[in-house]
Amino acid sequence: MSDVADQVLFATSPEKGPKLNDFERLSVGFIAGTLARTITSPLDVVKMLMQVSSKGGSMSSILAKLWAESGIAGFWRGNFAACVRLGPQSAIKFYTFDELQRRIGHGKPLSGLQRTIAGASAGVISQVLTYPLDVIRTRITVDPKKYNGIISAFGTILKEEGPLSLYAGVGSTIVGVIPYEGAQFYAFGGLKNFYQSRIAPGKPISPFVTCLIGATAGMFSQLFSYPFDVVRKRQMLRDENGKPLYNGMIDGFTKIVKNDGPLGLYRGLGINLVKVVP
């Protein structure tokens, strides 16, 4: 689903304080998204390669193969494409959530249900609008020999598979984004309100506490949505004959559980949870 930038984004979306104009809100989202993604790229690359590998691929073997193929640069494989996507995606989500928060709450803190709905809506809108770039980023990361850049990947996918392939796995994304974004915004807002009302009433939240709350909310939401992320990543790929690996989301879940066991739906979760903290 979304990346570490999410914690930065909704943590900086104030319910009180100086009002940012539209350009400033979009800019904050763009900068936060690209910065967070670049810093955590090595963890994200390893996580993605674990998600799309069979149960025989351990983290150590993936690390060794990645190093042998690309060296240190391999850990930033696909980062430019990811930033091209995450910048606009983060900006759109930050802006959308802020707008929904303002219109729904009318200047008052949102309830848990309102935060959940606003967060899920912002996540779905931003994911769908930038989805083709996620497909391209995944192809570049998994198969850099065939897809060696955004323009090359875009042209190859259109030529060989057609435009609909740029939205492969979008159904799994939408279904997974709703619990992920809803749980994330719900948890963050709830923890933030608890801290301000019970632990330190009347005091501003420090940057350290904000990061701690954001990381906790991110890890909490990952537990609900991670299997959908594994399925959608594999749906983005093709076999050696150029055919989809699965015939839809349900087929993806069924085959992964059959071939890899239930834990196959959580391949790479550990390193993904580690990625949330920084």
Side-chain angles (χ1 to χ4, degrees), residues 5-264:
D6 297 340
Q7 279 67 261
V8 181
L9 292 175
F10 63 75
T12 57
S13 181
E15 294 175 353
K16 296 180 181 180
K19 180 175 175 58
L20 303 178
N21 60 42
D22 291 348
F23 177 77
E24 289 171 333
R25 284 187 287 172
L26 289 170
S27 297
V28 167
F30 183 90
I31 294 170
T34 55
L35 179 62
R37 177 58 180 76
T38 299
I39 292 172
T40 60
S41 177
L43 295 171
D44 196 60
V45 169
V46 174
K47 178 209 74 171
M48 186 184 300
L49 293 176
M50 291 186 68
Q51 286 180 318
V52 302
S53 70
S54 67
K55 59 183 178 181
S58 64
M59 184 187 298
S60 59
S61 65
I62 288 174
L63 287 170
K65 183 179 179 181
L66 182 61
W67 182 268
E69 289 180 346
S70 308
I72 190 68
F75 292 94
W76 276 268
R77 185 189 292 174
N79 185 61
F80 179 70
C83 288
V84 169
R85 164 187 168 259
L86 268 179
Q89 182 202 15
S90 300
I92 292 169
K93 182 164 70 172
F94 183 24
Y95 179 85
T96 302
F97 180 77
D98 205 32
E99 277 295 304
L100 291 173
Q101 180 177 250
R102 183 175 62 83
R103 294 176 183 274
I104 295 174
H106 302 292
K108 298 179 180 179
L110 301 183
S111 66
L113 178 61
Q114 289 174 327
R115 285 195 304 273
T116 302
I117 294 174
S121 299
V124 169
I125 291 171
S126 62
Q127 284 278 354
V128 171
L129 290 179
T130 61
Y131 195 78
L133 289 168
D134 195 18
V135 174
I136 290 172
R137 185 266 298 226
T138 300
R139 298 287 186 95
I140 293 173
T141 302
V142 176
D143 191 359
K145 294 181 179 179
K146 183 175 182 179
Y147 308 100
N148 56 13
I150 295 177
I151 302 301
S152 171
F154 182 76
T156 300
I157 293 172
L158 286 181
K159 181 180 179 181
E160 296 183 355
E161 305 168 28
L164 289 181
S165 289
L166 292 170
Y167 284 90
V170 70
S172 303
T173 298
I174 293 174
V175 173
V177 160
I178 293 174
Y180 177 83
E181 300 291 357
Q184 183 171 242
F185 280 97
Y186 179 87
F188 182 84
L191 290 171
K192 179 182 175 182
N193 289 341
F194 178 80
Y195 181 85
Q196 290 180 313
S197 62
R198 300 291 182 86
I199 299 177
K203 296 181 180 180
I205 299 180
S206 68
F208 173 77
V209 173
T210 297
C211 289
L212 184 61
I213 291 174
T216 303
M219 289 188 286
F220 172 75
S221 60
Q222 285 284 348
L223 297 177
F224 290 94
S225 64
Y226 195 78
F228 293 97
D229 194 38
V230 173
V231 172
R232 81 183 185 100
K233 282 294 191 303
R234 297 196 186 187
Q235 284 184 277
M236 293 178 183
L237 305 179
R238 295 294 182 267
D239 62 18
E240 59 272 12
N241 299 315
K243 296 181 179 180
L245 298 179
Y246 310 119
N247 296 317
M249 180 179 66
I250 302 301
D251 184 51
F253 272 100
T254 303
K255 288 182 177 177
I256 290 174
V257 172
K258 180 180 179 180
N259 297 329
D260 301 345
L263 291 180

